[in-house]
Amino acid sequence: PWVAATDEVTWRTARANALNLIDGFKFLEYYAQGNFGRGNALYREPGMIRNVGALASNLAEGERLLLIGHNLHCSKKTPASGANTIEESPALGTAIARSQEWGHKYLVLAQIYHRGEHILLSARLEKSEFQSSESSVAGMLAKITDAPALLIGTDATEPPMHQQIDLAPFGVSGYPLIPAEQFDAFLWLDEVSATTPR
């Protein structure tokens, strides 16, 4: 009846909106209980996967899809935050990388920063300085270049991209991984400044 009253595109949009609202409210129930991870693994990440799948399946011949997200959402071999295994709940990028239809077309360019300022969310938004550790991917790259920015493939041998290294985003929250398994390349920036909240 909905399609007859409008059209198929309108019905698909309404259905996607309804599913996103369902996932969103179920996620917020877990979030309000202080269990972000479980809500993410059950509803938030699967919802992102569903939405990207719908976008990708509607691409015209020769069209491409550009996703902009956090490195670990886009990584190729990572469980969703809050899941113990990929089988329990894959990260968005992992689901795409494992897809027979899109996996061979999926390229991940991760962004990493050596030092600078970023915005922290506490009681209010506030600027905070950070410095990546020397043992992190960003810190190791800082030792081998004087450039303000660098685009480097994960097939590089320096730093050793096929060995476990700490991603350590923003110099904190250590996250050991093997870069070559997760990303195709890094866009490394030596120094960044914080965004200005409006």
Side-chain angles (χ1 to χ4, degrees), residues 49-61 63-65 67 96 99 101-102 105:
I49 293 167
R50 181 187 63 244
N51 288 334
V52 169
L55 286 169
S57 64
N58 287 317
L59 292 175
E61 185 68 36
E63 259 189 320
R64 295 180 183 209
L65 179 63
L67 299 174
I96 297 170
S99 162
E101 188 174 353
W102 303 305
K105 302 175 185 178

Side-chain angles (χ1 to χ4, degrees), residues 111-130:
Q111 294 183 58
I112 52 175
Y113 318 113
H114 179 223
R115 59 195 164 100
E117 285 184 334
H118 61 155
I119 298 289
L120 287 181
L121 176 61
S122 51
R124 57 188 169 84
L125 297 176
E126 47 189 69
K127 289 184 180 182
S128 175
E129 291 187 5
F130 72 93

Side-chain angles (χ1 to χ4, degrees), residues 136-138 140-141 144 152-162 165:
S136 69
V137 180
M140 289 180 169
L141 286 169
I144 63 174
I152 184 170
T154 55
D155 56 351
T157 56
E158 187 61 37
M161 301 285 191
H162 286 83
I165 305 175

Side-chain angles (χ1 to χ4, degrees), residues 21-101:
L21 284 169
I22 291 167
D23 284 341
F25 280 111
K26 287 182 176 180
F27 164 69
L28 287 174
E29 287 176 8
Y30 280 93
Y31 186 79
Q33 297 166 13
N35 197 347
F36 170 90
R38 191 77 184 130
N40 180 71
L42 287 173
Y43 300 107
R44 184 170 172 255
E45 203 88 26
M48 285 190 276
I49 293 167
R50 181 187 63 244
N51 288 334
V52 169
L55 286 169
S57 64
N58 287 317
L59 292 175
E61 185 68 36
E63 259 189 320
R64 295 180 183 209
L65 179 63
L66 173 65
L67 299 174
I68 299 175
H70 293 164
N71 290 338
L72 295 177
H73 278 302
C74 299
S75 58
K76 294 182 173 185
K77 199 174 178 183
T78 306
S81 176
N84 294 315
T85 65
I86 290 171
E87 288 67 35
E88 182 185 337
S89 181
L92 167 64
T94 303
I96 297 170
R98 295 172 73 161
S99 162
Q100 290 189 1
E101 188 174 353

